[in-house]
Amino acid sequence: MHRLTNRQILLGITGGIAAYKSAEITRLLKKAGADVRVVMTPAATEFITPLTLQALSGHPVHLELLDPEAEAGMGHIELAKWADHILIAPASADFIARVAAGMGNDLLTTLCLATEAPISLAPAMNQAMWRDAHTQANVEALKSAGYTIWGPDAGEQACGDTGPGRMLEPTDLAARLAAEFEYLALSGKTVFITAGPTREPLDPVRFISNHSSGKMGYALAQAAMDAGAKVKLISGPVNLTPPSRVTCIQVETAEEMLAASLEQIEECDLFIGAAAVADYRPVAIAEHKIKKGNEEIMELRLVKNPDIIATVAKHSHRPFTVGFAAETRDLLHYARDKLVRKQLDMVIANDVSVAGIGFNSNENQVTLVTPEDATSLPQTSKRMLAKQLIEQIALHLNKQDSL
Ligand code: PMT
């Protein structure tokens, strides 16, 4: 089921007594980490309310082909493009006939025509309707067109008949759907990543900060997401768009970054501290703009900020914890010191004195330091490096999990 993390599943519900089971399908898919959007035919709403599906999926249910409100948000073509997989459960005889005929006379049939995503149908109907030659011909036509047909099961039916036509159970459908996706290095893992600088305000117009652009942290978030993880990106102020399918929490100060990092930390399997957190903040924030005086030298009083990654590494629900070490000299010495002092599992040593890598650049070169060894990775784009780092981190994390 871990394969469903981050997957965008469009669940189509058509009219039939089995429609009540769609609530359980939605719950199972959500629990497995999928993002679920529900589309119902008018007949389906006679069997289960859109409100139930909205509450379970966390999104408004799509009902009409020509709904100006929906078209302004996610219209039918966007919805067709959005889906990684379309599951139609239950699929009635009428729906199967319409889609086999290539009709687009409601939202769900239109989506089937417009999508490039794989489509699976879970038929549910009376045994005689299932055995009917028209239905069988329609099912064969859909199979030839590339649709997958899951079920139906045979057994006692709601109408009192016995025979084939029962929709497969929600657990079976969810498992079949999960099997459609590849198992990736971080499938089923929850990853928190801090990125960018923090800003420590001095007065309403000034702050202390640093040159971090967030590029490294955002690239790591994308790579972790691509590796199948559910990602929470805790970002200081940067000019970057968060990767899609990643939950991004925007913060300003180190204290806000700490609070966002600790929120739901018990769900976190892997924490990566790529942020350049200000070590100190002003003792007090002036209520009004600090005015220029006559003195040539102005002194600022600063107080130490909390160490976010060290706090995470000491937490009772400690995730696998990876820090960065941005250094301008004695790189490996300071990286090892941070590994031990902050009780980290791994440190990514980053020489920020070299031009073209480190802060604000598009490329980086790092050394991966573990308690056992140090591996230098060649200079490359932050995007490529993030992919390599996530592969290495996943190897260590999965090794630890298997112990
Ligand atoms: O953002 P970019 O422009 O792409 O640049 C990337 C980067 C250089 C910022 C990044 O690769 C990097 O090195 N990040 C860590 C920067 C840093 O603050 O390093 P540090 O050696 O001061 O901190 C060591 C570790 O402790 C880091 O994981 C840091 O996130 C963490 N830390 C530091 C202080 C603090 N109060 N809380 C922390 O969690």
Side-chain angles (χ1 to χ4, degrees):
M1 293 292 264
H2 288 155
R3 298 166 193 231
L4 285 169
T5 311
N6 289 330
R7 303 303 184 179
Q8 297 180 164
I9 307 299
L10 198 152
L11 177 64
I13 309 176
T14 72
I17 190 69
Y20 78 93
K21 292 187 180 174
S22 310
E24 180 62 0
I25 300 175
T26 309
R27 197 188 66 78
L28 290 171
L29 300 183
K30 286 286 289 181
K31 196 170 159 227
D35 191 0
V36 183
R37 302 273 176 159
V38 177
V39 176
M40 296 174 80
T41 62
T45 62
E46 303 286 331
F47 292 90
I48 183 167
T49 69
L51 206 58
T52 304
L53 279 313
Q54 173 169 328
L56 288 168
S57 69
H59 297 290
V61 171
H62 302 262
L63 298 166
E64 307 279 348
L65 177 56
L66 301 172
D67 173 358
E69 219 169 275
E71 292 294 318
M74 194 186 280
H76 67 286
I77 298 297
E78 280 111 319
L79 208 49
K81 287 186 179 152
W82 173 89
D84 292 329
H85 198 112
I86 296 182
L87 168 63
I88 297 162
S92 65
D94 171 69
F95 179 79
I96 289 174
R98 286 189 291 119
V99 85
M103 290 174 77
N105 57 345
D106 65 9
L107 178 58
L108 197 51
T109 45
T110 309
L111 288 171
C112 291
L113 289 176
T115 195
E116 287 179 14
I119 305 175
S120 303
L121 301 181
M125 64 197 74
N126 167 271
Q127 53 84 23
M129 290 169 77
W130 172 253
R131 287 196 176 108
D132 183 88
H134 295 94
T135 304
Q136 287 304 310
N138 290 334
V139 167
E140 286 312 312
L142 287 177
K143 282 185 188 165
S144 324
Y147 286 60
T148 312
I149 311 292
W150 288 336
D153 237 347
E156 202 180 320
Q157 300 201 294
C159 56
D161 283 6
T162 304
R166 285 168 57 98
M167 188 173 85
L168 294 185
E169 288 305 316
T171 43
D172 189 352
L173 290 172
R176 286 173 188 240
L177 189 58
E180 292 289 304
F181 296 98
E182 203 187 331
Y183 192 88
L184 301 165
L186 290 179
S187 283
K189 301 281 188 224
T190 298
V191 179
F192 289 8
I193 299 174
T194 65
T198 62
R199 270 183 192 170
E200 310 299 335
L202 273 164
D203 67 12
V205 297
R206 303 182 182 93
F207 53 80
I208 298 173
S209 192
N210 59 64
H211 292 293
S212 171
S213 63
K215 287 176 191 170
M216 193 68 242
Y218 276 54
L220 284 163
Q222 176 74 61
M225 205 286 295
D226 290 343
K230 182 172 160 199
V231 180
K232 176 164 99 172
L233 175 64
I234 303 144
S235 174
V238 296
N239 286 320
L240 299 174
T241 308
S244 62
R245 306 190 192 197
V246 161
T247 304
C248 185
I249 314 287
Q250 310 276 359
V251 297
E252 294 260 329
T253 66
E255 287 179 309
E256 288 169 10
M257 190 171 269
L258 175 66
S261 298
L262 293 181
E263 199 160 316
Q264 296 174 315
I265 190 72
E266 50 295 334
E267 290 175 15
C268 176
D269 300 296
L270 165 63
F271 186 95
I272 307 178
V277 185
D279 288 325
Y280 290 86
R281 66 179 185 277
V283 168
I285 305 170
E287 194 184 339
H288 297 288
K289 184 182 169 191
I290 301 167
K291 301 302 286 180
K292 187 162 60 181
N294 290 329
E295 60 278 11
E296 288 301 312
I297 291 177
M298 183 188 182
E299 285 183 1
L300 281 178
R301 278 173 55 76
L302 303 174
V303 60
K304 215 177 205 167
N305 262 330
D307 193 308
I308 298 166
I309 206 159
T311 310
V312 167
K314 288 189 190 92
H315 199 275
S316 51
H317 287 275
R318 183 188 190 283
F320 191 87
T321 313
V322 180
F324 270 76
E327 305 294 345
T328 54
R329 63 192 164 104
D330 297 333
L331 184 63
L332 290 187
H333 168 75
Y334 285 123
R336 287 215 170 84
D337 170 64
K338 279 175 183 158
L339 187 78
V340 174
R341 194 162 38 81
K342 300 192 186 207
Q343 299 180 16
L344 307 179
D345 294 294
M346 197 183 265
V347 165
I348 300 162
N350 206 164
D351 188 340
V352 288
S353 68
V354 180
I357 63 168
F359 285 107
N360 214 357
S361 57
N362 290 326
E363 297 202 338
N364 209 359
Q365 192 278 316
V366 299
T367 303
L368 233 171
V369 182
T370 65
E372 295 80 36
D373 53 22
T375 315
S376 177
L377 299 176
Q379 181 170 337
T380 182
S381 68
K382 284 182 176 168
R383 193 178 57 80
M384 188 56 83
L385 182 66
K387 200 169 172 301
Q388 293 166 3
L389 286 170
I390 289 296
E391 274 167 20
Q392 289 299 318
I393 293 168
L395 278 177
H396 282 79
L397 172 63
N398 291 329
K399 196 158 84 187
Q400 197 188 63
D401 279 357
S402 66
L403 290 179

